[in-house]
């Protein structure tokens, strides 16, 4: 199953609301289960974090893990982790990429935030993700 | 001047409304004056047209011309046109990429639609673009 | 919905059988609905056609059309078609990439053959595709 | 000498059997002596490990060493190891990439597994590799 546009908008809007309440200029990306963009919003962030948001979301969905969970695996691999980061056109394993599940628990996509601290990005992405979980 | 997120959302929503009225599953991309993504919506289109929408929007803003106007220039250049299309990580010069101007007439970004016919994509993108013109 | 490994093997084996009956050394790729590889077989073909098979399968699934149907659209766009071919890390619109549908008619992946003539590759890919249609 | 498709299938099937007995959803790649794909199976693993499997198999065959043996060399090179990992479009030196030899002891290809622990991936790849050794 893949996230639909209507579902992605619900997820995105919940994350936008959280980002605005925290007053942090972030970029937010929602991707489907194949890692392809469904919805995107740059809340007047610098443009360098656009790719951060997209890569975090793709990293989450391609391993079925939040980006920081994949980060722990990569870090434990030490030097080999560097090889992992180079794979798949580049992973980004900072906190802020969160998988999105349907009510049956299947992963249907991911949302990522970038532009805040790792903790803030994670909080914002989770605020979006839980809309459908 | 660059398009803001709030302006991009107005542009995007006007284009979404038009696409829905035409019942065409498109992807819609709004970029700033530097060609960087500000807002994006995939209205359940196939994922192959995501890149079409992004490339059309970038082609428009980087030359300050709607994508089909740039297409006429590229076509007139015949063999050289291939070289032009290969530049800038790949142009896409089909109709559907439209510049966005502020009230003073300065280009502040572009919007593109992909997934319909060239004429439909152009109509949808213009519906968005005129929101701020 | 995405094609499963068991389904992909059925599709692949039917295509292998056809390729062997035609005595043509091809490469065969099966991708899921996101364009990611599920199964692959190089029947002692030259290795240059590996990427042909993968790109044809991805082209089919990303536009929801057989690769030669997308080829007709691209060709009609004349010079602009060249810009399309450059998108999405490179399309390949020769015959031989065929979408795979589930019994409800939803596209769940694609299979492509490369190494024979366009007609042979198409015949081989269809022999695989129909296994689940 | 290069591994043939028939040999690759024997190797792949032995690895698949081991992976299924361990109940681990892995991706399995078999490459020839030039590092080019011969056979591939994604046993319903996440798609992020497809590239891991391909890169491990290529790393093994391009240095004539199992991927973890190359990992020991890379790690010993400390900072220079990063440069090595960046070479050849990216090495991956985690356990699980194993060279395949013919009966005369010549390397004719490699098989790699990804999706399990390093130890499991190595066990699965070896189960395939020994089919021809």
């Amino acid at each position: 199953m893949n996230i639909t546009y209507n579902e992605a908008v619900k997820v995105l809007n919940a994350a936008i609301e959280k980002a605005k309440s925290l007053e942090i200029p972030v970029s937010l990306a929602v991707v489907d289960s194949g890692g392809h963009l469904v919805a995107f919003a740059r809340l007047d962030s610098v443009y360098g974090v656009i790719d951060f948001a997209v890569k975090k979301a793709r990293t989450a969905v391609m391993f079925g893990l939040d980006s920081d969970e994949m980060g722990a695996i990569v870090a434990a691999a030490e030097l080999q982790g560097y090889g992992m980061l180079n794979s798949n056109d580049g992973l980004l394993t900072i906190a802020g990429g969160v998988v999105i599940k349907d009510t049956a628990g299947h992963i249907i996509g991911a949302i990522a935030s970038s532009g805040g601290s790792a903790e803030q990005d994670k909080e914002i992405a989770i605020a979006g993700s839980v809309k459908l979980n």
Side-chain angles (χ1 to χ4, degrees), chain A:
Chain A
M1 289 294 294
N2 251 336
I3 193 168
T4 64
Y5 176 68
N6 284 341
E7 291 170 329
V9 166
K10 279 183 204 167
V11 169
L12 186 68
N13 284 345
I16 288 173
E17 194 178 333
K18 173 62 76 178
K20 286 188 173 171
S21 76
L22 297 173
E23 297 183 358
I24 303 170
V26 295
S27 280
L28 297 163
V30 180
V31 300
D32 66 18
S33 61
H36 305 292
L37 208 58
V38 182
F40 176 86
R42 172 152 60 110
L43 305 179
D44 299 312
S45 77
V46 291
Y47 77 80
V49 298
I50 300 172
D51 197 39
F52 283 11
V54 171
K55 278 190 161 60
K56 279 193 215 178
R58 286 189 177 149
T59 297
V61 84
M62 86 171 68
F63 293 103
L65 295 168
D66 291 351
S67 58
D68 53 345
E69 293 175 331
M70 186 60 192
I73 293 172
V74 167
E78 296 184 352
L79 187 62
Q80 325 301 348
Y82 188 77
M84 290 184 188
L85 290 176
N86 279 345
S87 74
N88 293 289
D89 295 323
L91 305 185
L92 194 53
T93 57
I94 309 164
V98 175
V99 295
I100 302 168
K101 295 178 181 174
D102 62 17
T103 50
H106 298 119
I107 294 175
I108 57 173
I111 179 170
S113 170
S114 188
S117 68
E119 292 71 22
Q120 290 168 331
D121 284 331
K122 186 172 180 173
E123 182 182 356
I124 293 166
I126 287 173
S129 170
V130 295
K131 265 289 157 178
L132 300 183
N133 285 2

